[in-house]
Amino acid sequence: MKLTVKLLDIENRGVLLHSTDARSMRVRDGDRVQIVDEATGKTAQAHVDTTGSLIEPGVIGIYRPVNTTLAVDEGTPVEVRGAERPASLEHIKKKMDGGRFTKDETMDIVRDIVDDVLSPGEITAYVTASYINGLDMDEVEYLTRATVETGEHLRFTRHPIVDKHSIGGVPGNKITLLIAPIIAASGLLIPKTSSRAITGAGGTADLMEVLAPVSFPALEVQQMTEKVGGAIVWGGATNIAPADDKIITYEYPLRIDARGQMIASVMAKKFAVGADLVVIDIPVGRNTKIATTQEGRKLAREFIELGDRLGMRVECALSYGESLVGHTIGPNLEVREALAVLEGATEPNSLIQKSLSLAGIALEMAGKAGPGQGAQAAAEILRSGKALEKMRQIIEIQGGDPTVKAEDIVPGEYCFDVRAPQDGYVIELNNSALVTLARLAGSPYDHGAGLLVHAKKGTRVRKGDPIFTIYADREWRLERAIEVGRTLMPVLVEGMVLERIPHERWV
């Protein structure tokens, strides 16, 4: 059918057909059509939406991503015809029925995700099928390799390349802001591609954005790393493992983190940047992704095995996950705390010790420190000021102000103290509730929003002492966080005696 183009500024790989034209072509909402510009020979495939009023019969609405391929002008005549279903849909149905993906099937699916051949509903079906029926280690390897092959790679001439990753689940985990400059200051290369927060209050990319731009193409990330030893950037801008970012988009509404896809996601990004040595932080505890040390060890073995298959040496650290790292949650607050440590602060101990331990593992793996001496070597780099100087170089090469100090970074202007209702000890700080409050206050999008925790688990408090402070850039967001906070009960304070059991009860 010949139709006339109307360009529509809609961020979706689709087209809009009048319902009468759709019926004539025998296509329905969600079906596919092939659009051909016969003047240029360019073609594109897109999903169909229909309307009875937004466009006239004889007109096709071309959404912006489709026109990136076609490059047609308003009013251009195009040929539109029905298109076949991609083979990848049969592969997805096979997994829904409990089957296993082959290497070629996995590549078909990943390529179709990257090329926007699969619709949002079809990608969701893939994510859900993989979550319910799981991926074995062969399937995880296939997914990892396909994710890397369909994106850009970094290729360094100097090795080893070091990388680190935390699987998440613990608020305030700002350790990359210390680990990356420590490793780079030792003479190693660490091209750290990081994520933005999905369900948390601040991903590493959100934090680094307080200090410098984080969106760079892959080649520029490589050049910056070669020049100063490291970079801390947002992986979503690099086109490194682009399928992974799209899969995560469809996992988010379902709040699922399929184990096989999570392992492939982490390792694909390490493989794509050319990492030789990888340290993975696995926080363990209640309200984290990994509840027990046994489960943590099993996940560690899977990471190590996949690393062996890909030619990367992987070591994992099980870390304490039942309390936030440091005392802060939210971009400005976390960056201020990390910069203060780089400038010489000796607190908070949880942030410093975790960062030094993980950096030390990397230094030992790379031969920069002897067995058992890595944390001490990392501590010396931190104490000497070399890590601070390296962080300033990283900030500068990414376009930030290298003279920035911790005191320059301030939280939001609106704040509220949550105080102890009685004398006693803080016996519970609910991580997920704290993150919810930080997000309600505006974090990570409002950089000044977040929480400053004054009394962590086990701290002795008196009635009226501040336990944590909520900060916000906008007053209405603070009010909303306070309102919800009264129902969440993110903190419990009790005396050391939780209950009295009288003698009379047992006689």
Side-chain angles (χ1 to χ4, degrees):
M1 178 179 286
K2 288 281 189 182
L3 299 175
T4 301
V5 167
K6 179 178 179 62
L7 299 178
L8 300 177
D9 189 15
I10 296 175
E11 187 58 46
N12 188 8
R13 192 170 180 85
V15 296
L16 186 64
L17 295 177
H18 193 276
S19 54
T20 57
D21 293 333
R23 282 195 296 270
S24 297
M25 296 177 60
R26 297 183 180 177
V27 296
R28 303 169 60 182
D29 285 88
D31 284 342
R32 291 171 169 75
V33 292
Q34 191 81 12
I35 308 104
V36 181
D37 180 0
E38 294 180 335
T40 63
K42 292 182 178 179
T43 67
Q45 192 177 102
H47 314 108
V48 173
D49 294 320
T50 62
T51 179
S53 61
L54 295 179
I55 59 174
E56 298 297 322
V59 174
I60 180 171
I62 302 289
Y63 299 168
R64 181 163 19 101
V66 177
N67 202 40
T68 301
T69 304
L70 288 173
V72 293
D73 296 322
E74 188 99 5
T76 300
V78 292
E79 177 73 23
V80 184
R81 59 179 76 105
E84 295 295 321
R85 286 161 43 94
S88 54
L89 290 183
E90 293 304 316
H91 309 332
I92 293 170
K93 186 176 184 302
K94 172 181 159 184
K95 173 55 74 172
M96 294 172 74
D97 292 335
R100 295 176 64 257
F101 292 128
T102 66
K103 181 178 180 180
D104 290 341
E105 289 169 350
T106 303
M107 178 57 79
D108 286 344
I109 294 169
V110 171
R111 186 177 288 114
D112 284 351
I113 290 173
V114 172
D115 293 341
D116 291 318
V117 172
L118 295 181
S119 70
E122 291 159 354
I123 298 174
T124 301
Y126 165 69
V127 168
T128 307
S130 299
Y131 176 73
I132 293 173
N133 292 314
L135 302 177
D136 64 26
M137 191 53 70
D138 287 338
E139 292 173 294
V140 172
E141 181 185 354
Y142 301 153
L143 178 57
T144 306
R145 292 186 181 277
T147 302
V148 173
E149 289 174 23
T150 51
E152 294 188 43
H153 311 170
L154 303 188
R155 292 180 173 84
F156 292 93
T157 57
R158 181 159 70 88
H159 291 269
I161 306 300
V162 180
D163 209 343
K164 59 80 55 180
H165 182 83
S166 176
I167 68 165
V170 178
N173 202 16
K174 58 199 74 71
I175 57 176
T176 295
L177 299 184
L178 274 64
I179 293 173
I182 288 173
I183 290 173
S186 76
L188 298 167
L189 298 181
I190 176 166
K192 185 71 187 78
T193 61
S194 303
S195 60
R196 295 191 183 277
I198 299 175
T199 57
T204 298
D206 299 310
L207 305 188
M208 188 62 191
E209 198 168 44
V210 172
L211 299 170
V214 295
S215 297
F216 300 95
L219 179 59
E220 198 166 348
V221 174
Q222 179 172 327
Q223 292 169 339
M224 291 188 297
T225 303
E226 289 173 333
K227 187 168 184 179
V228 301
I232 304 173
V233 303
W234 176 44
T238 61
N239 200 38
I240 291 172
D244 181 58
D245 295 311
K246 295 189 177 185
I247 290 170
I248 289 172
T249 298
Y250 296 102
E251 288 178 327
Y252 171 67
L254 301 172
R255 299 297 193 273
I256 63 176
D257 195 4
R259 188 186 189 99
Q261 287 170 338
M262 182 268 287
I263 295 170
S265 168
V266 172
M267 297 298 282
K269 290 174 179 175
K270 307 310 168 194
F271 195 37
V273 300
D276 304 295
L277 309 172
V278 180
V279 180
I280 296 178
D281 167 37
I282 303 177
V284 175
R286 291 177 303 160
N287 299 314
T288 67
K289 295 179 181 179
I290 305 298
T292 67
T293 54
Q294 291 82 358
E295 189 180 351
R297 291 189 189 103
K298 182 177 185 296
L299 180 60
R301 287 194 297 271
E302 291 169 341
F303 273 120
I304 291 168
E305 179 184 342
L306 183 57
D308 288 342
R309 292 181 179 218
L310 299 173
M312 294 185 290
R313 184 181 170 201
V314 176
E315 291 197 15
C316 301
L318 305 188
S319 60
Y320 179 70
E322 294 192 5
S323 180
L324 73 158
V325 180
H327 293 279
T328 57
I329 304 172
N332 279 9
L333 288 161
E334 292 191 51
V335 170
R336 183 174 70 173
E337 189 171 52
L339 271 186
V341 171
L342 288 170
E343 291 168 2
T346 57
E347 292 287 340
N349 191 61
S350 59
L351 170 60
I352 295 171
Q353 292 307 314
K354 182 172 184 178
S355 300
L356 294 180
S357 296
L358 291 171
I361 292 172
L363 295 179
E364 291 179 26
M365 291 172 71
K368 292 288 184 177
Q373 302 300 311
Q376 181 179 336
E380 179 54 36
I381 292 172
L382 181 62
R383 279 194 299 266
S384 69
K386 293 178 182 178
L388 174 61
E389 177 57 32
K390 184 57 65 176
M391 188 60 169
R392 287 173 174 161
Q393 292 175 14
I394 293 171
I395 292 170
E396 183 173 26
I397 202 167
Q398 291 185 207
D401 177 7
T403 66
V404 67
K405 295 181 175 60
E407 64 191 29
D408 300 329
I409 301 170
V410 296
E413 60 177 306
Y414 301 101
C415 64
F416 178 82
D417 289 330
V418 176
R419 299 182 179 275
Q422 64 188 60
D423 292 355
Y425 291 84
V426 177
I427 61 170
E428 181 69 38
L429 276 174
N430 186 306
N431 283 344
S432 60
L434 293 176
V435 169
T436 297
L437 288 183
R439 288 182 67 90
L440 287 169
S443 181
Y445 308 105
D446 295 342
H447 284 174
L451 304 182
L452 173 59
V453 177
H454 306 285
K456 297 175 76 172
K457 187 175 179 179
T459 304
R460 168 78 170 153
V461 293
R462 295 193 177 278
K463 182 177 180 179
D465 286 351
I467 297 177
F468 63 88
T469 302
I470 307 172
Y471 288 93
D473 288 339
R474 288 176 272 188
E475 189 173 14
W476 70 268
R477 285 194 178 277
L478 177 64
E479 291 171 354
R480 176 62 175 155
I482 294 169
E483 178 185 341
V484 174
R486 292 193 175 104
T487 65
L488 282 178
M489 294 294 291
V491 59
L492 290 177
V493 176
E494 286 281 1
M496 289 301 288
V497 176
L498 299 180
E499 183 182 2
R500 180 175 176 176
I501 311 294
H503 175 268
E504 291 77 10
R505 183 181 298 182
W506 304 107
V507 291

